[in-house]
Amino acid sequence: MSHDLFGTPVIAAPMAGGTSTPAFVEAVHRAGGLGFLAAGYKSVAAMQAEIRTVRESGARFGMNVFVPDPAQLRPSAALLAELEDYRLQLLADARRYGVELPPLRVDDDDEWQGKIDALLAEPVELVSFAFGLPGADVARALQRVGSAVLATVTSTAEAVRAAEQGVDALVVQHTSAGAHSAAFLPASGAQPGGTTAELLAEVRSAVDLPLVAAGGIMDAAGLDAVLRAGAAAAQLGTAFLRTDESGARQLHKDALADPHFTQTRLTRAFTGRQARALENEFVRDHPEAPEAYPAIHHLTAPLRAAAAAAGDPERLNLWAGSAWRQAQAGPVAAVVHGLLAGR
Ligand SMILES: Cc1cc2nc3c(=O)[nH]c(=O)nc-3n(C[C@H](O)[C@H](O)[C@H](O)COP(=O)(O)O)c2cc1C
């Protein structure tokens, strides 16, 4: 199978947290790409409302869902103690803004079952998963109602596991990618060097599924490289963050163009799961945040909201892939057309 499943080699990544709005997804479609809505952090009702909005526009689209980690939902006593320590560390940040930190919340599964039930009741063409595998039963149920199922993997070992669940395609995410790593096997976080195209080729030699390459793809040359390595399409996040239709905060968009920020880092400081962000004071101040997602996401929510309200980019989660400097402002169509130029 080539990129028939997608109909285009350019996929705009699902970007939870406000970036992938229906208007953004529609603009990607009109320009000749394929957009994904992001269910992460949203209620079932909000997810359904977005599906209906994009469906009414006639645009093709996919939906992305976070897979909860059962182990994280039942943290050990040791991890709870680490979380309490981290909470104490964050009190200084809270005082700075005069906000209260919420009590620890460890049982949030992002309404997993409700989202799956809703996607079975009102099927969408493509459903992708991140942070874990959906399970063979869920994959099969979605396929039965007509959806193609994609799993996100970060290594060959994860790709093999995903293929065993009978999914239709894989998103292969390289460590250069902006925002959260989708890794779900412990050893797979540490990818020694290598490029996105190299990782893609490695996965391709292990599994026989259509592959979508993600991580650091910013222009037509980057797209060519992964297609030559055997990808059916590329999934780009950071390249779209600054666009007019992107729902990212202006503060985030401005920071991506600000020469004051000189590198990205993988950090757990904001959410408890490794994510690539522009290195700012908050990232530097909290290098040892425990691995506890989404508990830390909830803990830092009021801090992030206060930083945003204060216009303070030093304490906001400025998600960015390592090629962020190439992210352009302007219409989504300009980015998609630039990628497709010459095709
Ligand atoms: C702001 C932002 C939010 C993201 N949110 C999601 C998400 O909700 N689900 C998901 O599967 N991937 C998400 N990603 C990761 C993308 O799917 C993709 O792997 C990544 O953007 C590719 O690397 P790039 O940013 O260098 O293009 C997000 C990326 C960014 C930049």
Side-chain angles (χ1 to χ4, degrees), residues 178-217:
H180 287 111
S181 161
F184 57 89
L185 291 180
S188 57
Q191 288 163 7
T195 64
T196 303
E198 283 164 1
L199 176 65
L200 196 289
E202 200 185 296
V203 169
R204 188 162 176 247
S205 66
V207 298
D208 186 21
L209 286 173
L211 304 178
V212 177
I217 301 159

Side-chain angles (χ1 to χ4, degrees), residues 219-233:
D219 54 22
L223 175 61
D224 271 347
V226 295
L227 295 181
R228 266 188 277 112

Side-chain angles (χ1 to χ4, degrees), residues 8-15 18-21 23-25 27-29 31-36 216-219 223 234-249 252-253 256 319-321 323-324 326-340:
T8 171
V10 175
I11 296 176
M15 290 183 274
T19 301
S20 294
T21 61
F24 172 77
V25 170
V28 170
H29 169 82
L34 172 65
F36 270 75
I217 301 159
M218 305 298 285
D219 54 22
L223 175 61
Q235 177 161 300
L236 298 83
T238 303
F240 287 107
L241 274 176
R242 294 182 62 212
T243 59
D244 300 339
E245 294 90 340
S246 143
R249 288 189 175 94
H252 189 176
K253 293 181 176 182
L256 290 163
W319 300 148
W324 91 99
Q326 283 175 263
Q328 298 291 322
V332 153
V335 176
V336 176
H337 294 160
L339 288 158
L340 292 174

Side-chain angles (χ1 to χ4, degrees), residues 60-86:
R60 284 186 69 207
F61 66 100
M63 175 56 77
N64 175 258
V65 181
F66 291 165
V67 182
D69 176 353
Q72 291 282 348
L73 300 179
R74 285 187 305 276
S76 65
L79 182 55
L80 284 174
E82 276 186 66
L83 273 166
E84 285 299 349
D85 278 354
Y86 192 53

